[in-house]
């Protein structure tokens, strides 16, 4: 029993430190990051996705601070997977096309936002058509954004992180 209590205490401390880190980072944005945040806030509000898109952009690129990940490979403020985006555009996902698409996503925050909103709305609609409630469809769409529909464990971890970020955004009254 003491071990279980100790583990719960450790998890609460880690959770609190993560939230403090998010608050610190969100309170110390550069001018460029603030501009990205404003772009997302303004445009995502139209789709009732303001906090969702803010949280995803913060998690993926720290509002544009890190726009490229060669390990995935992904690019832009929302880290769109390059092979997937190439296929959506009707392009073969080879190195040349991925480089061209990455350049567009990195250079245009508006394009990256447009693509991310469309991906999220598509996934959300898919889960709604399967008969899930709004809340569960939203959760599954968040999970699918990062881990696809088959990797539940990684998707759930990502979802929990997005929820933490949204809570911090609400606390800071974004």
């Amino acid at each position: 029993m003491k071990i279980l209590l100790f583990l719960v205490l450790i998890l609460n401390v880690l959770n609190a430190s993560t939230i403090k880190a998010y608050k610190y980072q969100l309170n110390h944005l550069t001018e460029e990051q603030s501009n990205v945040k404003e772009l997302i806030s303004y445009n995502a509000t139209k789709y009732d996705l303001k906090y969702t898109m803010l949280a995803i952009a913060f998690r993926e690129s720290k509002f544009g601070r890190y726009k490229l990940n060669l390990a995935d490979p992904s690019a832009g403020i929302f880290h769109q997977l390059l092979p997937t985006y190439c296929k959506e555009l009707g392009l073969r996902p080879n190195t040349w096309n991925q480089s061209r698409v990455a350049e567009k996503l990195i250079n245009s925050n508006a394009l990256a936002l447009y693509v991310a909103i469309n991906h999220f709305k598509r996934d959300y609609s898919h889960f709604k058509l399967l008969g899930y409630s709004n809340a569960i469809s939203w959760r599954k769409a968040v999970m699918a954004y990062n881990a696809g529909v088959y990797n539940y464990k990684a998707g759930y971890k990502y979802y929990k992180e997005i929820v933490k970020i949204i809570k911090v955004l609400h606390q800071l009254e974004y």
Side-chain angles (χ1 to χ4, degrees):
M1 183 67 176
K2 289 181 183 180
I3 294 173
L4 181 61
L5 197 56
F6 180 72
L7 287 174
V8 169
L9 179 64
I10 293 292
L11 289 174
N12 284 338
V13 169
L14 290 175
N15 188 37
S17 66
T18 302
I19 289 173
K20 282 183 183 179
Y22 290 152
K23 281 184 180 179
Y24 179 82
Q25 291 171 357
L26 287 165
N27 280 323
H28 293 86
L29 299 176
T30 65
E31 184 178 343
E32 184 177 333
Q33 287 174 302
S34 293
N35 292 339
V36 168
K37 178 187 64 90
E38 291 303 317
L39 172 79
I40 296 167
S41 291
Y42 179 76
N43 290 294
T45 300
K46 299 173 192 174
Y47 303 98
D48 200 25
L49 290 173
K50 175 182 173 181
Y51 287 101
T52 302
M53 290 294 116
L54 283 171
I56 291 172
F58 180 75
R59 164 59 176 81
E60 294 295 334
S61 71
K62 301 294 186 262
F63 294 138
R65 187 171 190 174
Y66 309 105
K67 290 186 179 182
L68 183 64
N69 183 353
L70 296 176
D72 287 333
S74 62
I77 57 177
F78 291 93
H79 279 253
Q80 294 297 323
L81 288 176
L82 299 176
T84 304
Y85 189 49
C86 282
K87 288 177 188 174
E88 288 176 13
L89 294 174
L91 301 170
R92 276 192 18 203
N94 57 31
T95 307
W96 170 255
N97 287 335
Q98 288 182 30
S99 296
R100 289 176 36 216
V101 167
E103 183 178 16
K104 289 180 181 182
L105 289 169
I106 289 169
N107 290 334
S108 176
N109 293 332
L111 173 64
L113 175 61
Y114 173 79
V115 172
I117 287 174
N118 283 335
H119 279 199
F120 190 85
K121 285 176 23 182
R122 181 194 63 217
D123 289 343
Y124 178 82
S125 295
H126 169 73
F127 292 117
K128 283 296 290 176
L129 286 173
L130 292 176
Y132 292 107
S133 68
N134 290 339
I136 293 174
S137 294
W138 179 84
R139 183 186 76 206
K140 287 184 170 289
V142 169
M143 291 168 61
Y145 188 89
N146 178 262
V149 293
Y150 300 112
N151 191 346
Y152 183 83
K153 187 175 180 179
Y156 190 74
K157 183 179 175 185
Y158 184 79
Y159 158 76
K160 294 298 277 182
E161 190 172 356
I162 293 299
V163 168
K164 281 182 196 177
I165 295 169
I166 288 173
K167 286 179 182 178
V168 172
L169 290 167
H170 277 289
Q171 288 174 0
L172 298 174
E173 297 180 4
Y174 269 72

